[in-house]
Amino acid sequence: MNRTCMRPLFLLTLLLILSASPARGQEDPGRTLSPYFVVLGKESEAELFPLKSTQVVANVNGVIAVVLVTQTYTNEGTEPINARYVFPASTRAAVHGMRIRVGDQVVTARIEERRKARVQFETAKAEGKSASLLEQQRPNVFTMNVANIMPRDRVEVELRYSELLIPTEGIYEFLYPTVVGPRYSSQREASATEATRWVKCPYLHPGGHNPGTFDIVVTLSAGMPLQDVRCASHPVDVAYDAGDVATVTLKDRTEVGGDRDFILNYRLAGEQIQSGLLLEKGETENFFLLMVQPPERFKAAEVSPREYVFILDVSGSMDGFPLETGKFLVADLIRHLRDTDLFNVVLFAGGSRVMADVSQPATEENVGRALQMIGEQRGGGGTELVPALKRALSLPRDEGFSRTIVVITDGFVDGDREVFEIIQENLSQTNFFSFGIGSAVNRHLVDGIARAGLGEPFVVTRPDEAREAAERFRAYVESPLLTDLRVVYRGLDAYEVEPSALPDLFAQRPLILFGKWRGSADGEIEVSGNGVAGRYSRTFRVAGSAPAVESGALRLLWARARIARLSDLAFGPVDSEVESQITALGLGYSLLTRYTSFVAVIEEARNTRGEAKDVDQPLPLPQGVSALAIGGAYESGAEPELWLLLALTGLVLALRRAVR
């Protein structure tokens, strides 16, 4: 496009923006439920940022991590405030405790049914009492509400969770997510449900100063010598004690590290993993955890003909490093296809386009067409993943080819449940793999696509990880490690085992079984399956098995595994029976779920006037994510001129790309 053509287009677009911009104080009835950039200037920074610090202490004993998170809120203004903060968690976290401290007063939170907890919090808030409410919005997204933070108050909210660390290819990973990326939503704000309103969240402009600090200390007690302890996400110091214990701390605690996932990887000496049987005897229930290391991978002698459909996210949030990494990844995967494979490419943002109406043979000519199409793509627009999935699934297929769909995205989209539903409905002849690209990807969506689609997820946080991830993908799709998995219990009265159905194993990752047992701890458990090298079988004797290192942890992790099966990847309307089961598990095991929340109230009316200002803590954009992730959203209280400036900035960026 030449500059002469650009001038009338620019003027026309400017007139449209001026005519469409909302008048000050008016609500836009057609506005979508979307994140927005916070507008500084009206409120003081002290009022906008009540969350001053997040401190994390994680203790890993064997394969179980117990994590304590302390969020410190202060009110440096002159009026009482009510604060809300959106923050992430691990997708495997079993959140089982919270307490609030105001001055010398400490209150341990109660687990309550969600609606009841909300009523208790709102009542305490109206009565001028300091209170906190922890709610789950997604399995990996929580909101913390703190009411009646008085001037000069220091409020500490502690939450505790446990999770199981599962090694892949002999590498253990401890992950602590620090920030929730912006979620694209096309849903109208006026019709949004309470469960989705968290998506409307304020963000800082790229490079904007966030006064909240982040610090983390991780202690690894593996029970056997550690090796290769490293953190690629943050500069760290590692101090060893006797070889099997290591303490990991941030090298520079003044660095702003709360804009990307903290990822700590380590191996055990000799490339071992901690497989075997752990037992936990409780007062009313007994629990077990079985970790079974699969056999070594053997390359299949024959690989059936395959069709690959690559779905690449080219939306605004992918602009820059994520998109360039995604393009490199897809190009690497396509270049290594066999001549006998078929493939296609779907690019999506607000809309989607497909390389060919029918998947093409992986010839040199077709590979060149695909690489040209991908290489020319720029980031921009919304994230309409659902229509892109439907378009890929509607492509004509050759029944002689096994279809694999590969989704490459940062996951910054709100419609997780609808995505899982589409995948579950198309499992008969399609496997789904996913690649999450970015420094703080939505792992619930990325992991969920693969889990719902009986495939494997991959996360690429840096450009130099893309090639290795592509190589692992190629090894996985050649053949699963084990199929037709079966578990037999002899002499052990096992019941309520999770998962209830066993998927094929693709990755060099142990099979995990949680369950309960009655009576004596005797007998044996046999696990068998079909591998490339023949029938695989392994037997574990129950008597003499090791007790769980963390007392009470297996109880919580079993309950979390059952909740995950009932809730995390559920699709369609949730019936009353499933809701009742999840609620009972949350209340019975004191766990945060979509239907249970933690609430804590200081029983003292500290705000006697009853008036307080509501503040949504703005979040930093994840590292490497551009302003295009927010799109044209604006803050409702912003000056129209400032909103116009933001819109024009986006327009200029788009026009510059058009010129190129």
PDB file of all heavy atoms in Angstrom, residues 293-307:
ATOM      1  N   GLN A 293       7.067 -45.300  36.164  1.00  0.00           N
ATOM      2  CA  GLN A 293       7.896 -44.824  35.069  1.00  0.00           C
ATOM      3  C   GLN A 293       7.675 -45.703  33.844  1.00  0.00           C
ATOM      4  O   GLN A 293       7.805 -46.928  33.902  1.00  0.00           O
ATOM      5  CB  GLN A 293       9.375 -44.856  35.471  1.00  0.00           C
ATOM      6  CG  GLN A 293      10.341 -44.530  34.353  1.00  0.00           C
ATOM      7  CD  GLN A 293      10.288 -43.071  33.923  1.00  0.00           C
ATOM      8  OE1 GLN A 293       9.479 -42.312  34.423  1.00  0.00           O
ATOM      9  NE2 GLN A 293      11.141 -42.699  32.995  1.00  0.00           N
ATOM     10  N   PRO A 294       7.300 -45.116  32.690  1.00  0.00           N
ATOM     11  CA  PRO A 294       7.072 -45.928  31.488  1.00  0.00           C
ATOM     12  C   PRO A 294       8.386 -46.465  30.931  1.00  0.00           C
ATOM     13  O   PRO A 294       9.472 -46.027  31.318  1.00  0.00           O
ATOM     14  CB  PRO A 294       6.414 -44.939  30.522  1.00  0.00           C
ATOM     15  CG  PRO A 294       6.914 -43.607  30.955  1.00  0.00           C
ATOM     16  CD  PRO A 294       7.059 -43.688  32.444  1.00  0.00           C
ATOM     17  N   PRO A 295       8.317 -47.422  30.005  1.00  0.00           N
ATOM     18  CA  PRO A 295       9.551 -47.981  29.422  1.00  0.00           C
ATOM     19  C   PRO A 295      10.257 -46.953  28.549  1.00  0.00           C
ATOM     20  O   PRO A 295       9.702 -45.911  28.212  1.00  0.00           O
ATOM     21  CB  PRO A 295       9.027 -49.157  28.585  1.00  0.00           C
ATOM     22  CG  PRO A 295       7.625 -48.763  28.225  1.00  0.00           C
ATOM     23  CD  PRO A 295       7.105 -48.008  29.424  1.00  0.00           C
ATOM     24  N   GLU A 296      11.484 -47.270  28.179  1.00  0.00           N
ATOM     25  CA  GLU A 296      12.225 -46.388  27.287  1.00  0.00           C
ATOM     26  C   GLU A 296      11.547 -46.321  25.924  1.00  0.00           C
ATOM     27  O   GLU A 296      10.871 -47.257  25.503  1.00  0.00           O
ATOM     28  CB  GLU A 296      13.667 -46.884  27.119  1.00  0.00           C
ATOM     29  CG  GLU A 296      14.499 -46.785  28.379  1.00  0.00           C
ATOM     30  CD  GLU A 296      15.936 -47.186  28.136  1.00  0.00           C
ATOM     31  OE1 GLU A 296      16.314 -47.340  26.947  1.00  0.00           O
ATOM     32  OE2 GLU A 296      16.676 -47.352  29.113  1.00  0.00           O
ATOM     33  N   ARG A 297      11.755 -45.206  25.252  1.00  0.00           N
ATOM     34  CA  ARG A 297      11.121 -45.023  23.954  1.00  0.00           C
ATOM     35  C   ARG A 297      11.901 -45.763  22.864  1.00  0.00           C
ATOM     36  O   ARG A 297      13.120 -45.671  22.777  1.00  0.00           O
ATOM     37  CB  ARG A 297      11.068 -43.527  23.617  1.00  0.00           C
ATOM     38  CG  ARG A 297      10.333 -43.228  22.316  1.00  0.00           C
ATOM     39  CD  ARG A 297      10.292 -41.734  22.045  1.00  0.00           C
ATOM     40  NE  ARG A 297       9.613 -41.016  23.111  1.00  0.00           N
ATOM     41  CZ  ARG A 297       8.290 -40.961  23.252  1.00  0.00           C
ATOM     42  NH1 ARG A 297       7.511 -41.592  22.398  1.00  0.00           N
ATOM     43  NH2 ARG A 297       7.753 -40.283  24.240  1.00  0.00           N
ATOM     44  N   PHE A 298      11.130 -46.484  22.049  1.00  0.00           N
ATOM     45  CA  PHE A 298      11.697 -47.141  20.880  1.00  0.00           C
ATOM     46  C   PHE A 298      10.993 -46.599  19.651  1.00  0.00           C
ATOM     47  O   PHE A 298       9.775 -46.416  19.648  1.00  0.00           O
ATOM     48  CB  PHE A 298      11.510 -48.663  20.945  1.00  0.00           C
ATOM     49  CG  PHE A 298      12.311 -49.324  22.028  1.00  0.00           C
ATOM     50  CD1 PHE A 298      11.752 -49.530  23.284  1.00  0.00           C
ATOM     51  CD2 PHE A 298      13.605 -49.732  21.808  1.00  0.00           C
ATOM     52  CE1 PHE A 298      12.470 -50.139  24.291  1.00  0.00           C
ATOM     53  CE2 PHE A 298      14.343 -50.346  22.809  1.00  0.00           C
ATOM     54  CZ  PHE A 298      13.776 -50.550  24.057  1.00  0.00           C
ATOM     55  N   LYS A 299      11.757 -46.352  18.603  1.00  0.00           N
ATOM     56  CA  LYS A 299      11.164 -45.841  17.372  1.00  0.00           C
ATOM     57  C   LYS A 299      10.374 -46.943  16.690  1.00  0.00           C
ATOM     58  O   LYS A 299      10.848 -48.067  16.530  1.00  0.00           O
ATOM     59  CB  LYS A 299      12.254 -45.311  16.436  1.00  0.00           C
ATOM     60  CG  LYS A 299      11.695 -44.568  15.228  1.00  0.00           C
ATOM     61  CD  LYS A 299      12.799 -43.877  14.461  1.00  0.00           C
ATOM     62  CE  LYS A 299      12.230 -43.070  13.307  1.00  0.00           C
ATOM     63  NZ  LYS A 299      13.279 -42.335  12.568  1.00  0.00           N
ATOM     64  N   ALA A 300       9.155 -46.608  16.304  1.00  0.00           N
ATOM     65  CA  ALA A 300       8.311 -47.586  15.639  1.00  0.00           C
ATOM     66  C   ALA A 300       8.898 -47.954  14.282  1.00  0.00           C
ATOM     67  O   ALA A 300       9.418 -47.102  13.558  1.00  0.00           O
ATOM     68  CB  ALA A 300       6.901 -47.028  15.467  1.00  0.00           C
ATOM     69  N   ALA A 301       8.815 -49.244  13.940  1.00  0.00           N
ATOM     70  CA  ALA A 301       9.329 -49.686  12.648  1.00  0.00           C
ATOM     71  C   ALA A 301       8.517 -49.092  11.506  1.00  0.00           C
ATOM     72  O   ALA A 301       9.057 -48.734  10.464  1.00  0.00           O
ATOM     73  CB  ALA A 301       9.303 -51.211  12.584  1.00  0.00           C
ATOM     74  N   GLU A 302       7.216 -48.967  11.709  1.00  0.00           N
ATOM     75  CA  GLU A 302       6.348 -48.388  10.702  1.00  0.00           C
ATOM     76  C   GLU A 302       5.473 -47.326  11.357  1.00  0.00           C
ATOM     77  O   GLU A 302       4.943 -47.547  12.438  1.00  0.00           O
ATOM     78  CB  GLU A 302       5.461 -49.469  10.062  1.00  0.00           C
ATOM     79  CG  GLU A 302       6.228 -50.508   9.270  1.00  0.00           C
ATOM     80  CD  GLU A 302       5.298 -51.503   8.603  1.00  0.00           C
ATOM     81  OE1 GLU A 302       4.064 -51.315   8.693  1.00  0.00           O
ATOM     82  OE2 GLU A 302       5.796 -52.463   7.998  1.00  0.00           O
ATOM     83  N   VAL A 303       5.352 -46.205  10.690  1.00  0.00           N
ATOM     84  CA  VAL A 303       4.509 -45.123  11.172  1.00  0.00           C
ATOM     85  C   VAL A 303       3.389 -44.918  10.161  1.00  0.00           C
ATOM     86  O   VAL A 303       3.649 -44.747   8.962  1.00  0.00           O
ATOM     87  CB  VAL A 303       5.305 -43.812  11.357  1.00  0.00           C
ATOM     88  CG1 VAL A 303       4.388 -42.708  11.859  1.00  0.00           C
ATOM     89  CG2 VAL A 303       6.461 -44.036  12.317  1.00  0.00           C
ATOM     90  N   SER A 304       2.153 -44.945  10.638  1.00  0.00           N
ATOM     91  CA  SER A 304       1.011 -44.828   9.732  1.00  0.00           C
ATOM     92  C   SER A 304       1.008 -43.456   9.070  1.00  0.00           C
ATOM     93  O   SER A 304       1.531 -42.480   9.623  1.00  0.00           O
ATOM     94  CB  SER A 304      -0.292 -45.032  10.508  1.00  0.00           C
ATOM     95  OG  SER A 304      -0.417 -44.050  11.522  1.00  0.00           O
ATOM     96  N   PRO A 305       0.436 -43.351   7.857  1.00  0.00           N
ATOM     97  CA  PRO A 305       0.359 -42.048   7.179  1.00  0.00           C
ATOM     98  C   PRO A 305      -0.391 -41.039   8.042  1.00  0.00           C
ATOM     99  O   PRO A 305      -1.406 -41.375   8.673  1.00  0.00           O
ATOM    100  CB  PRO A 305      -0.419 -42.371   5.894  1.00  0.00           C
ATOM    101  CG  PRO A 305      -0.251 -43.835   5.691  1.00  0.00           C
ATOM    102  CD  PRO A 305      -0.145 -44.435   7.055  1.00  0.00           C
ATOM    103  N   ARG A 306       0.094 -39.812   8.085  1.00  0.00           N
ATOM    104  CA  ARG A 306      -0.490 -38.805   8.977  1.00  0.00           C
ATOM    105  C   ARG A 306      -0.821 -37.522   8.227  1.00  0.00           C
ATOM    106  O   ARG A 306      -0.152 -37.152   7.268  1.00  0.00           O
ATOM    107  CB  ARG A 306       0.464 -38.491  10.139  1.00  0.00           C
ATOM    108  CG  ARG A 306       0.676 -39.654  11.090  1.00  0.00           C
ATOM    109  CD  ARG A 306       1.551 -39.277  12.266  1.00  0.00           C
ATOM    110  NE  ARG A 306       1.785 -40.398  13.153  1.00  0.00           N
ATOM    111  CZ  ARG A 306       0.981 -40.742  14.158  1.00  0.00           C
ATOM    112  NH1 ARG A 306      -0.110 -40.030  14.381  1.00  0.00           N
ATOM    113  NH2 ARG A 306       1.261 -41.777  14.922  1.00  0.00           N
ATOM    114  N   GLU A 307      -1.854 -36.862   8.742  1.00  0.00           N
ATOM    115  CA  GLU A 307      -2.222 -35.522   8.288  1.00  0.00           C
ATOM    116  C   GLU A 307      -2.080 -34.586   9.479  1.00  0.00           C
ATOM    117  O   GLU A 307      -2.602 -34.863  10.556  1.00  0.00           O
ATOM    118  CB  GLU A 307      -3.669 -35.491   7.789  1.00  0.00           C
ATOM    119  CG  GLU A 307      -4.133 -34.079   7.414  1.00  0.00           C
ATOM    120  CD  GLU A 307      -5.650 -33.936   7.388  1.00  0.00           C
ATOM    121  OE1 GLU A 307      -6.341 -34.855   7.882  1.00  0.00           O
ATOM    122  OE2 GLU A 307      -6.133 -32.902   6.901  1.00  0.00           O
TER     123      GLU A 307
END
